[in-house]
Amino acid sequence: MENHTIPCFWMRGGTSKAGCFVEDYLPPEVSEQDKLLCRIYGSSDPSGRQINGMGGGTSTTSKAMIVGKRAGEKNSVNYTFCQVETATNAVDRKGNCGNISSAVGPFAIENGLVDEVTEPVTKVKIFNTNTQKTIVSHVPVKAGKVEYNGDFSISGVPGTGARIQLDFLSPGGAVTGELLPTGQPKDVIDVPGYGPTEITVVDAANPLVFVRASDLGLTGNELPAEIDCNVELLDRMLAIREAAAVLIGLAKDMHDAKHNSQAVPKFCFIAPPMGYTSQSGQVVSADAIDIQARMLSMGKLHPVLAITGGVCIGVAAKIPGTLVHEIAGSCSEKDELNIGHCSGVLSVSAEVESQNGELKVLNGTVYRTARVLMRGDIDFN
């Protein structure tokens, strides 16, 4: 039998892991790419373990990125993010992953997709095809090669690495085309089976549906072990997410939102600062954070906090009238917003200004680390 292989890197980007592919090595048709990814990752596994593939059986370890040189622009690449389902043969491309975005610049340099590599930092302009938005990655370089070692640490990842700065340019309306997809900073929606619920929907880097933790009977400092086993609570949060997806036009009905738009919008419950111990054992004091946030990712509580979610929270805090602005209070005016999440603290910066009476997001900035885990060829027999 003929062997079928494709060159591949496996990388950690921030708090996620992904298979990383040069676009030219994949079939051009999206449908064929998706079939190939499902085969590589071992999807269509009823157990969700992806035991017959490279997937890790969780949303944060079943991701892929496809990168290609962007014609006509120096040091510029196209980047497509793919969320590979664990239990079904499906790939969601509706939104981006900020954590995996941090691996794009290093991967592009390693694979000769960048025209000019400069020290000590090489700027790589990344066009994300999912959101049609641009990210500028500041990649540390030493002796002409990507420098992965450093003393910068991020919550949720043991050890340290070289700091990679990510500037999300004009992230507003990344998926829906509107910063406030409903036209309002707050809405009350009637969720089937659960009744009226007050929400905020903001689309910056990715669209998020925000709900007060207290409205769900929560304190806001819960960890995955407390949420993922509560089927009734998860069903309620997912129903709110699905109703919001219909409201903002990402799905035609609840069924469509549940089955065809699982990755976006993201659901997030928020709360005022409170001291807690993260799942990594870090003691987070109330005065070290400005707001608490917990996100769902593919139906489970995200063990850390999606970077695109962090950018969206930072932007939402700058918009008067949103639930995020309401909870962050005076901290909304800070240059950096410190967000307490399941594994520690994430600091984000966002610039939002009013232009002719309309809010515009200039940028959102976060800092990550990345690492190559494997270089080689992947077999997809």
Side-chain angles (χ1 to χ4, degrees):
M1 181 181 294
E2 181 182 359
N3 286 327
H4 297 278
T5 61
I6 293 177
C8 173
F9 279 32
W10 222 265
M11 296 185 70
R12 176 185 62 78
T15 55
S16 293
K17 292 194 289 187
C20 310
F21 304 90
V22 174
E23 186 177 35
D24 290 346
Y25 294 132
L26 296 177
E29 301 84 4
V30 169
S31 61
E32 291 302 312
Q33 289 179 7
D34 288 353
K35 289 178 184 177
L36 183 62
L37 290 175
C38 287
R39 178 62 179 160
I40 289 170
Y41 281 70
S43 295
S44 194
D45 181 346
S47 71
R49 295 169 60 213
Q50 296 177 308
I51 195 65
N52 200 32
M54 293 294 292
T58 68
S59 66
T60 55
T61 57
S62 190
K63 300 180 175 186
M65 72 183 202
I66 302 170
V67 183
K69 190 170 176 59
R70 189 165 176 81
E73 294 187 36
K74 182 179 178 181
N75 281 23
S76 183
V77 296
N78 290 319
Y79 148 58
T80 300
F81 170 71
C82 303
Q83 181 72 55
V84 185
E85 298 290 337
T86 59
T88 63
N89 274 328
V91 176
D92 197 320
R93 297 173 178 240
K94 289 190 176 72
N96 182 26
C97 172
N99 275 298
I100 293 304
S101 298
S102 64
V104 176
F107 177 77
I109 293 172
E110 292 245 23
N111 284 275
L113 302 176
V114 173
D115 305 289
E116 184 179 345
V117 178
T118 58
E119 297 180 33
V121 173
T122 296
K123 291 184 181 180
V124 182
K125 189 176 181 182
I126 302 166
F127 181 76
N128 177 238
T129 64
N130 308 78
T131 61
Q132 302 291 294
K133 295 292 184 177
T134 298
I135 306 163
V136 177
S137 179
H138 302 246
V139 183
V141 171
K142 184 177 181 179
K145 296 183 178 181
V146 177
E147 177 60 73
Y148 294 102
N149 297 320
D151 58 6
F152 185 69
S153 63
I154 59 176
S155 296
V157 178
T160 62
R163 190 182 78 165
I164 298 172
Q165 178 179 326
L166 295 175
D167 298 328
F168 291 77
L169 308 184
S170 302
V175 174
T176 66
E178 299 291 338
L179 177 61
L180 295 175
T182 72
Q184 305 292 332
K186 281 190 290 193
D187 294 272
V188 176
I189 57 172
D190 188 17
V191 182
Y194 298 97
T197 303
E198 190 167 38
I199 65 170
T200 283
V201 184
V202 175
D203 182 0
N206 258 336
L208 264 67
V209 182
F210 296 103
V211 176
R212 297 184 192 90
S214 57
D215 290 346
L216 299 170
L218 303 172
T219 61
N221 64 355
E222 287 80 8
L223 301 179
E226 301 169 75
I227 299 296
D228 291 350
C229 62
N230 191 332
V231 176
E232 183 178 346
L233 176 61
L234 283 174
D235 285 347
R236 181 182 177 186
M237 291 192 287
L238 290 171
I240 295 170
R241 190 201 74 83
E242 290 153 13
V246 176
L247 178 67
I248 64 177
L250 291 182
K252 60 184 179 181
D253 53 37
M254 297 282 284
H255 182 273
D256 184 36
K258 182 176 183 178
H259 295 282
N260 299 315
S261 189
Q262 295 185 24
V264 291
K266 304 289 188 185
F267 179 90
C268 182
F269 61 87
I270 51 177
M274 178 185 294
Y276 65 96
T277 300
S278 76
Q279 66 173 6
S280 59
Q282 178 182 355
V283 176
V284 179
S285 63
D287 59 6
I289 57 177
D290 303 312
I291 190 171
Q292 291 192 99
R294 304 289 189 269
M295 279 182 59
L296 290 189
S297 178
M298 309 307 288
K300 300 291 185 180
L301 200 65
H302 199 296
V304 192
L305 182 66
I307 290 303
T308 53
V311 171
C312 191
I313 292 168
V315 169
K318 301 285 188 181
I319 303 175
T322 66
L323 294 177
V324 181
H325 184 273
E326 171 189 298
I327 289 177
S330 60
C331 294
S332 297
E333 304 306 316
K334 293 172 58 178
D335 290 337
E336 287 192 10
L337 188 75
N338 296 312
I339 306 168
H341 56 79
C342 292
S343 290
V345 182
L346 173 68
S347 296
V348 300
S349 300
E351 285 189 76
V352 180
E353 65 178 33
S354 179
Q355 297 179 0
N356 300 319
E358 184 178 355
L359 289 175
K360 295 289 185 182
V361 186
L362 303 184
N363 60 66
T365 297
V366 295
Y367 301 93
R368 299 278 86 186
T369 62
R371 179 186 170 210
V372 176
L373 305 175
M374 181 278 290
R375 297 176 177 87
D377 296 317
I378 196 95
D379 192 306
F380 59 93
N381 275 321

